[in-house]
Amino acid sequence: QAILCLPRPFDYSQKNAVLVPVAALGVGGMLLYWLRSGRKIKTIDMGDGWWGAGERPPKGKEDTSIRPFKIETSDKEIEDLHQRLDRFRFTPHVEGAAFHYGFNSSYLRKVVDYWRNQFDWRKQVEVLNKYPHFHTTIEGIDIHFIHVKPSYVPHGQAVRPLLMVHGWPGSFYEFYKIIPLLTEPAKHGLNEGDVVFEVICPSIPGYGFSEASHQKEFDSIATARIFHKLMNRLGFKEYYLQGGDWGSRITTNMAQMLPQSVKGLHLNLVFIATQGLGKMIHAMLGAYVPWLVGFSREDARRFYPFMQKNVYNVLRESGYLHIQATKPDTAGCGLNDSPVGLAAYIMEKFSTWTDKSFLHKDDGGLESKYSLDELLTNVMIYWVTSSIVSSMRYYKENFSKDPRIHDRVSVYVPTGIAAFPQEIVHVPRVWAKDVYKNIVTYTYMPRGGHFAAFEEPKLLAQDIMQFVRKVEQL
């Protein structure tokens, strides 16, 4: 106290009066700069790549043209399919199996009969070609995409570009029912039509009509870079993104890579790390006092009983993942040779990933949500392009690397999350915020599962529009 009371020279006090605020401002400014620059620094490096066969051509010699593309078929292609379907070998199922053992073989016989005698692939090709298709070569491989613009735009209204990315075992075809709702919302009774999109739906390389990589290590980050290049080639500097399944990982990587180009990110599936002591404590406490760990009542309803919904169900539904993440070619080559095997492998996912209770139905509940024409059209996209093996390899390429890289880089772009109740796993908002730092909307969807755009296009379209409307008001 005596020391504090010692007299101080006037000039010393004056200097302090000036220096302390200046120092505080300086430190504060440096801290603010560090925080802001930290956000800029923490992005995924865009890098570059070459996935074509042979050597990369000299810079400036690559083909950057955008070429119209049309899906075609032939008598030979259809005859070959029919011959293979005629050789289908039926395997009796055990009594009461339903879909507990996988695709019910008696129902599969019905599907094969419909496929062989009633399904019209030529007609479905016409359906696929109703939207404009294109090819463009990026990093040595041909990228397929559809690009749909509104047929009419009121004067003065902005059209927002939206890139929508599918997953496995889906395809660009998943978006065919949602595209008209997004490009012409007023015509379909969606809001006042104040939010209108032009929609770009690419096929992930190695899926459908996009060429597969000829090199190893083609992962979601490489895909994100290619899709950024695609949007840039189409003339877009800023755009919205939407994805589920692999589309969620790819679009998240795009937001982590070039946040300045992404106006908003909308997801119907969130990938986050669930390991660690903190998550374990959350999971244990949430069962009794959900509010204490930031869980809502709806989170608790979807999350518990924990072992059943987050362990047993996931283990039951993820057998394919272990095969595809380790030795995809072994099973893939068999599927590529057998249309029936391919259909069973793909369509089974459209049963229990749409609704977990469909496991108990002899027909897997498939025709309660989709038509056989829709399901078989998606299968045919894999069949006619021989892309099942390369689509399965995508798991090996992604899981062979440290997955934590995706969680180490936070997402700061405005994010919307549509949480569908029948999704394989539920991620509460409080957990999603670990990675997605700027969640603008988080919606507990009233119904629907993994293939949201395919199953519940109107619900998903409404949520996308609500999200974009809020982002535009920020």
Side-chain angles (χ1 to χ4, degrees):
Q1 197 171 10
I3 293 172
L4 289 174
C5 292
L6 287 173
R8 298 180 182 179
F10 176 76
D11 59 338
Y12 178 83
S13 301
Q14 287 286 84
K15 283 180 182 177
N16 269 3
V18 175
L19 288 174
V20 170
V22 169
L25 282 171
V27 171
M30 288 175 66
L31 182 62
L32 182 63
Y33 173 78
W34 178 79
L35 287 170
R36 295 188 67 179
S37 63
R39 285 191 183 185
K40 290 179 182 177
I41 291 170
K42 287 189 178 181
T43 57
I44 291 178
D45 180 34
M46 189 162 181
D48 201 2
W50 174 256
W51 310 104
E55 294 184 4
R56 186 171 198 161
K59 194 171 183 179
K61 296 291 184 180
E62 294 181 36
D63 182 5
T64 59
S65 64
I66 295 171
R67 307 175 293 278
F69 170 73
K70 192 174 182 181
I71 299 170
E72 296 178 344
T73 188
S74 64
D75 291 341
K76 183 179 179 181
E77 184 175 73
I78 295 171
E79 285 168 13
D80 175 70
L81 171 67
H82 286 174
Q83 288 170 10
R84 291 170 188 263
L85 294 176
D86 287 338
R87 292 196 296 269
F88 167 50
R89 292 199 301 173
F90 174 71
T91 303
H93 59 80
V94 296
E95 291 183 12
F99 261 56
H100 288 274
Y101 287 69
F103 207 105
N104 183 287
S105 56
S106 291
Y107 180 63
L108 181 60
R109 182 152 57 178
K110 176 189 172 183
V111 171
V112 172
D113 179 70
Y114 181 88
W115 198 359
R116 172 64 178 86
N117 300 305
Q118 293 176 260
F119 179 76
D120 187 344
W121 176 231
R122 291 187 185 279
K123 179 183 174 183
Q124 293 307 115
V125 165
E126 290 179 13
V127 171
L128 291 175
N129 282 326
K130 75 176 180 178
Y131 294 130
H133 293 251
F134 301 91
H135 265 155
T136 190
T137 307
I138 303 176
E139 298 188 7
I141 52 178
D142 281 350
I143 305 302
H144 162 259
F145 64 98
I146 57 175
H147 186 178
V148 187
K149 300 179 182 181
S151 58
Y152 168 75
V153 181
H155 179 70
Q157 186 174 49
V159 177
R160 296 157 180 90
L162 173 66
L163 179 82
M164 304 188 77
V165 185
H166 66 88
W168 187 93
S171 63
F172 65 93
Y173 178 59
E174 283 181 69
F175 301 116
Y176 267 50
K177 287 184 277 188
I178 198 173
I179 285 173
L181 307 183
L182 296 170
T183 55
E184 299 174 315
K187 188 182 287 187
H188 295 87
L190 289 178
N191 61 60
E192 309 79 34
D194 59 322
V195 177
V196 180
F197 298 94
E198 58 180 294
V199 178
I200 301 93
C201 298
S203 295
I204 298 170
Y207 288 68
F209 299 98
S210 276
E211 185 180 359
S213 169
H214 297 264
Q215 314 296 331
K216 293 190 295 183
E217 301 185 359
F218 183 85
D219 60 5
S220 63
I221 292 175
T223 312
R225 181 178 63 245
I226 282 176
F227 287 172
H228 269 309
K229 290 182 177 181
L230 170 64
M231 295 301 279
N232 184 257
R233 189 169 292 181
L234 291 171
F236 300 117
K237 293 182 179 179
E238 287 187 318
Y239 31 88
Y240 285 94
L241 305 174
Q242 202 286 324
D245 197 88
W246 278 123
S248 170
R249 172 56 57 82
I250 292 164
T251 54
T252 293
N253 289 160
M254 292 177 74
Q256 293 167 320
M257 185 178 287
L258 286 179
Q260 66 273 24
S261 295
V262 180
K263 290 197 73 176
L265 170 68
H266 187 278
L267 307 172
N268 56 277
L269 174 63
V270 172
F271 292 106
I272 61 159
T274 56
Q275 303 89 352
L277 182 61
K279 293 285 196 307
M280 191 183 300
I281 293 171
H282 270 217
M284 288 189 295
L285 291 176
Y288 305 99
V289 281
W291 51 268
L292 188 63
V293 294
F295 288 1
S296 69
R297 286 185 181 181
E298 184 62 19
D299 287 328
R301 194 182 71 80
R302 297 186 182 192
F303 207 62
Y304 300 102
F306 181 82
M307 291 299 292
Q308 180 64 47
K309 293 188 176 180
N310 298 278
V311 179
Y312 301 145
N313 286 355
V314 172
L315 283 174
R316 185 189 66 224
E317 296 299 332
S318 60
Y320 79 98
L321 188 150
H322 299 284
I323 293 172
Q324 295 176 193
T326 52
K327 297 185 178 181
D329 286 29
T330 304
C333 288
L335 298 175
N336 193 50
D337 192 55
S338 167
V340 178
L342 181 68
Y345 195 72
I346 287 177
M347 287 172 63
E348 182 249 312
K349 304 308 179 194
F350 285 86
S351 168
T352 48
W353 289 7
T354 296
D355 191 317
K356 299 173 187 71
S357 71
F358 288 172
L359 190 73
H360 310 297
K361 298 191 173 190
D362 289 339
D363 63 356
L366 283 166
E367 292 178 75
S368 63
K369 292 286 185 175
Y370 317 101
S371 70
L372 283 180
D373 280 346
E374 290 172 342
L375 292 167
L376 288 170
T377 296
N378 182 64
V379 171
M380 286 294 291
I381 290 170
Y382 283 86
W383 176 253
V384 300
T385 58
S386 294
S387 59
I388 188 61
V389 179
S390 51
S391 75
M392 291 165 70
R393 284 177 188 156
Y394 200 62
Y395 284 78
K396 183 170 180 63
E397 303 296 16
N398 280 285
F399 282 92
S400 64
K401 298 172 184 176
D402 184 355
R404 291 173 296 176
I405 184 175
H406 305 283
D407 296 326
R408 290 193 190 114
V409 179
S410 296
V411 175
Y412 289 98
V413 304
T415 303
I417 297 172
F420 284 84
Q422 290 294 334
E423 186 55 88
I424 301 167
V425 291
H426 174 69
V427 177
R429 180 175 185 149
V430 68
W431 284 14
K433 284 168 65 178
D434 287 350
V435 174
Y436 302 91
K437 304 298 186 183
N438 187 10
I439 298 176
V440 175
T441 61
Y442 182 102
T443 311
Y444 296 100
M445 306 303 281
R447 61 185 180 275
H450 187 73
F451 302 99
F454 204 34
E455 179 193 351
E456 296 288 351
K458 192 167 186 178
L459 281 180
L460 184 61
Q462 287 172 327
D463 199 69
I464 293 169
M465 290 174 181
Q466 176 195 4
F467 164 67
V468 170
R469 194 177 292 111
K470 286 194 174 183
V471 173
E472 295 290 328
Q473 291 170 356
L474 292 177

